[in-house]
Amino acid sequence: MCGQCNYRSLLQAGGLEPTLNRLRVLEVIGSNSSPLSAHDILATVNRTAGINRVTVYRILGLLVSKGLVERLSGGGRSLVYGLAPNEHHPAHPHFHCRSCGALQCLQPGSLKVDLRGIERSFAGEIQGVEVRVDGICRNCLKRA
Amino acid sequence: MCGQCNYRSLLQAGGLEPTLNRLRVLEVIGSNSSPLSAHDILATVNRTAGINRVTVYRILGLLVSKGLVERLSGGGRSLVYGLAPNEHHPAHPHFHCRSCGALQCLQPGSLKVDLRGIERSFAGEIQGVEVRVDGICRNCLKRA
DNA sequence: TGACAAATGCAACTATGTTGCATAATGTCA
DNA sequence: TGACATTATGCAACATAGTTGCATTTGTCA
Ligand SMILES: [Mn+2]
Ligand SMILES: [Mn+2]
Ligand SMILES: [Zn+2]
Ligand SMILES: [Zn+2]
């Protein structure tokens, strides 16, 4: 979630024409409190203006390839999309509820990952680390 | 990968009849050096004896629900399956190559995750943490 | 053996994501 | 501005991953 990002500038910084569709997709991702699936992004954008499913997938691919958006495993069958870490948005882990499927952002720094061991012993190039905590969310605990 | 597991006992410990299909699926998972997709498991089991695709999915669901096998995000569209952590198999992170898609197990302990911050601040029940490191593997680096 | 339950197979289906190709919108430059 | 190229979008078809309903087979046990 971000109140400080200028999405038009972000797109231009990534070398992408700031078309209306791209702006809408990026705004939906940026204004949501947790990462969204392509399906949810499509549905949300569609509430204000028509957009094709394939266009959404293509825009998501572009945004990820330019580093504006990160693509994560949602814990289920679909991938989810959130703003990529930047100066306003520190990287952070996510929590996936195995009961209701909800996904939430956890505090940046709430979970420390020490990469030094891998960086020493691993022969490839490390580009990112995804941490997903799984369990039962508070709401589902109450219901049970 | 495991040379020490008695798969038949594992199944029985999980309250599952040790049918041939279940044994074969569990052996394929247990003898591979990295987690496998349902597609790969099906193909491997099929080399020695016929088995239906749906049966494989159902067995995988059972093995996961009984805690014998863990289901992970493979970094792409499909989920992958590996032996669940136990006394012979400490939990460990995985590496996903964005170029060739290969998945490898990393050393247990090569990447330390400190859960204490979350355990203090998070209201739900934490059941597991999945860590996936993404990047370019050694082979793909050489090729480039 | 016969009754019952559990496991498997098969067809059809859903969900998610991709490709090829046509059209529409936009940018470039004379 | 008008011609032309480039880029973005839409649409249909396809591909892949996973699920469901229901019939058949296999196993358990009295
Ligand atoms: Mn987040
Ligand atoms: Mn592993
Ligand atoms: Zn929940
Ligand atoms: Zn590779």
Side-chain angles (χ1 to χ4, degrees):
Chain A
M1 170 116 69
C2 186
Q4 300 157 72
C5 286
N6 183 322
Y7 298 118
R8 184 177 299 269
S9 314
L10 268 180
L11 286 172
Q12 282 161 342
L16 295 174
E17 282 298 317
T19 68
L20 219 44
N21 282 336
R22 287 170 185 174
L23 271 170
R24 288 196 183 109
V25 167
L26 187 54
E27 278 167 8
V28 166
I29 293 173
S31 64
N32 202 68
S33 65
S34 61
L36 290 168
S37 66
H39 177 272
D40 290 347
I41 292 167
L42 172 65
T44 307
V45 173
N46 257 334
R47 277 204 291 272
T48 53
I51 189 173
N52 187 270
R53 206 168 61 91
V54 177
T55 302
V56 170
Y57 278 110
R58 287 201 273 233
I59 290 174
L60 291 172
L62 276 175
L63 297 178
V64 169
S65 74
K66 299 303 182 183
L68 307 184
V69 160
E70 65 179 357
R71 172 190 270 140
L72 302 170
S73 141
R77 228 152 12 90
S78 69
L79 301 172
V80 294
Y81 298 83
L83 282 190
N86 63 37
E87 66 259 38
H88 305 314
H89 306 87
H92 55 271
H94 294 88
F95 176 84
H96 169 244
C97 176
R98 285 174 173 162
S99 171
C100 66
L103 207 58
Q104 29 182 317
C105 302
L106 298 176
Q107 291 299 324
S110 62
L111 189 152
K112 295 250 171 28
V113 173
D114 183 352
L115 273 178
R116 285 169 303 180
I118 286 187
E119 279 163 352
R120 249 188 299 108
S121 62
F122 185 71
E125 178 191 339
I126 294 176
Q127 298 177 336
V129 181
E130 179 180 332
V131 177
R132 205 192 53 245
V133 180
D134 281 79
I136 310 293
C137 78
R138 202 165 66 133
N139 280 347
C140 288
L141 279 182
K142 277 191 296 191
R143 265 198 293 279
Chain B
M1 171 116 66
C2 187
Q4 300 157 72
C5 286
N6 182 322
Y7 298 117
R8 183 176 300 268
S9 314
L10 268 181
L11 286 171
Q12 282 161 341
L16 296 174
E17 281 297 317
T19 68
L20 257 179
N21 282 338
R22 288 170 183 174
L23 271 169
R24 287 195 183 109
V25 167
L26 187 54
E27 278 168 6
V28 166
I29 293 172
S31 63
N32 203 66
S33 64
S34 61
L36 290 168
S37 66
H39 177 273
D40 290 347
I41 292 167
L42 172 64
T44 306
V45 173
N46 256 334
R47 278 205 290 274
T48 52
I51 189 174
N52 187 270
R53 207 167 62 89
V54 177
T55 303
V56 170
Y57 278 111
R58 287 201 273 234
I59 290 174
L60 291 172
L62 275 174
L63 297 179
V64 169
S65 74
K66 298 304 183 185
L68 308 185
V69 160
E70 66 180 355
R71 170 189 271 139
L72 302 171
S73 140
R77 276 210 291 128
S78 69
L79 302 172
V80 294
Y81 299 84
L83 282 190
N86 63 36
E87 67 257 37
H88 305 313
H89 306 89
H92 55 271
H94 294 87
F95 176 85
H96 168 244
C97 176
R98 285 175 174 162
S99 170
C100 67
L103 206 59
Q104 30 182 315
C105 302
L106 297 176
Q107 292 298 326
S110 61
L111 190 153
K112 294 248 168 35
V113 173
D114 183 353
L115 273 178
R116 284 169 301 179
I118 288 187
E119 279 163 351
R120 248 186 299 108
S121 62
F122 185 72
E125 177 190 340
I126 294 176
Q127 297 178 336
V129 180
E130 178 180 333
V131 177
R132 204 194 52 246
V133 179
D134 281 80
I136 310 293
C137 77
R138 202 164 68 133
N139 281 347
C140 288
L141 279 181
K142 278 191 293 190
R143 266 197 293 279

